Amino acid sequence: MNPTQTTQPSSKGLKMLLVIIGFVILITVSYKLSESYHVLDTPVVEETPAATTTPATTTPVVEAPITHSNGTITFTTPSDFGLATTKEQILVNSYIPPCEENFDYCLYYNGNEFKNTNFGGVGIRIKKRADLPQVSQCLTAQPLGFTNMKSTIVASSSLYSVSLFAPIGDAAMGHYAAGELYRLAYNGTCHEFETRISATRFENYPEGSITEFGTTSQALVNGKIKDMLNSVTLNSGEKVEFKK
């Protein structure tokens, strides 16, 4: 053989080379397809931020005042006051009752705002005084059980007049009560409104066992009494002003 002559690969060797190349290509393509399959097959999980729950706020239900009438006057009681027309209907227990027995209506406090204090009770006694038909009698006659008390005219209009007897007090066995008595003369009628706040003497309790029913609480109670008195309206439509 001539040394300068190029040796051509045999047909069999060429076929083997093509088979190997094809096999490599097949493996490479299969691998790529396998990777693509796994990527597509893997589920994509999107994280959703957890919903924040805002606690529901509840608005306290405030009951509307209740209006009462005897045909001549109307008045309202708030939700923390009861109304009784007999002493058996007074649903609170206190050493000194919120109203004396001689009443047409007793408006009495039945809330629990002053629990664990030496507070006793609060009431407004309303009584139509048929025995005092004249204006002068209504405005000046002595309160039952009292003597030498003088009244003061505290409000008046062309239709009515209001007088005040004060102070009206009571005491018994370490308990006490204080209040005022108003008389309303209107159109031949006389209505009596007696307020009362009672308590047990603070010093009667063991030290530290209760909180004192002090001036702040008393002012709050007086505000409740004032609101009820100021709700009194005549059948003419005019509101009565109870003033000192």
Side-chain angles (χ1 to χ4, degrees):
M1 180 182 298
N2 188 343
T4 61
Q5 185 177 3
T6 302
T7 304
Q8 297 293 329
S10 65
S11 175
K12 184 177 180 181
L14 182 60
K15 288 181 180 180
M16 182 62 68
L17 179 61
L18 290 175
V19 169
I20 292 171
I21 293 172
F23 184 72
V24 171
I25 292 173
L26 179 62
I27 292 175
T28 302
V29 172
S30 298
Y31 178 77
K32 292 295 184 181
L33 288 175
S34 175
E35 276 192 333
S36 176
Y37 171 79
H38 284 295
V39 169
L40 293 175
D41 191 52
T42 302
V44 178
V45 179
E46 295 183 2
E47 293 187 3
T48 303
T52 56
T53 303
T54 302
T57 56
T58 57
T59 303
V61 177
V62 179
E63 296 182 18
I66 301 174
T67 300
H68 313 272
S69 176
N70 68 355
T72 304
I73 62 170
T74 62
F75 55 91
T76 61
T77 53
S79 60
D80 54 357
F81 272 76
L83 181 142
T85 56
T86 66
K87 66 178 183 178
E88 291 78 17
Q89 294 176 347
I90 300 176
L91 303 180
V92 294
N93 294 317
S94 57
Y95 193 88
I96 299 177
C99 300
E100 289 292 343
E101 293 185 13
N102 186 27
F103 61 81
D104 296 328
Y105 304 100
C106 176
L107 318 183
Y108 63 94
Y109 178 75
N110 60 4
N112 56 12
E113 192 169 356
F114 310 109
K115 188 178 180 181
N116 299 322
T117 71
N118 58 316
F119 169 77
V122 174
I124 299 179
R125 179 182 65 86
I126 302 176
K127 175 68 176 178
K128 187 173 183 178
R129 294 292 301 271
D131 58 323
L132 303 174
Q134 302 299 319
V135 172
S136 60
Q137 291 178 315
C138 179
L139 299 178
T140 62
Q142 292 291 303
L144 297 175
F146 291 86
T147 58
N148 301 320
M149 291 196 72
K150 292 184 178 180
S151 64
T152 303
I153 304 299
V154 292
S156 63
S157 75
S158 59
L159 294 179
Y160 71 88
S161 294
V162 176
S163 66
L164 169 65
F165 296 86
I168 300 290
D170 195 3
M173 299 291 291
H175 307 269
Y176 62 92
E180 300 170 332
L181 189 146
Y182 295 88
R183 293 252 183 80
L184 166 65
Y186 164 68
N187 196 26
T189 66
C190 180
H191 286 82
E192 195 166 76
F193 303 81
E194 182 182 357
T195 70
R196 174 179 283 178
I197 302 174
S198 68
T200 301
R201 297 196 179 281
F202 183 62
E203 58 270 21
N204 288 0
Y205 292 87
E207 185 176 354
S209 62
I210 63 166
T211 303
E212 184 174 11
F213 179 69
T215 55
T216 301
S217 297
Q218 291 177 26
L220 182 60
V221 167
N222 280 321
K224 294 176 182 288
I225 291 174
K226 181 179 179 181
D227 289 343
M228 284 186 287
L229 289 176
N230 287 338
S231 74
V232 175
T233 305
L234 307 175
N235 58 10
S236 65
E238 184 174 1
K239 276 190 171 292
V240 178
E241 295 184 8
F242 291 82
K243 294 180 179 178
K244 279 190 172 183

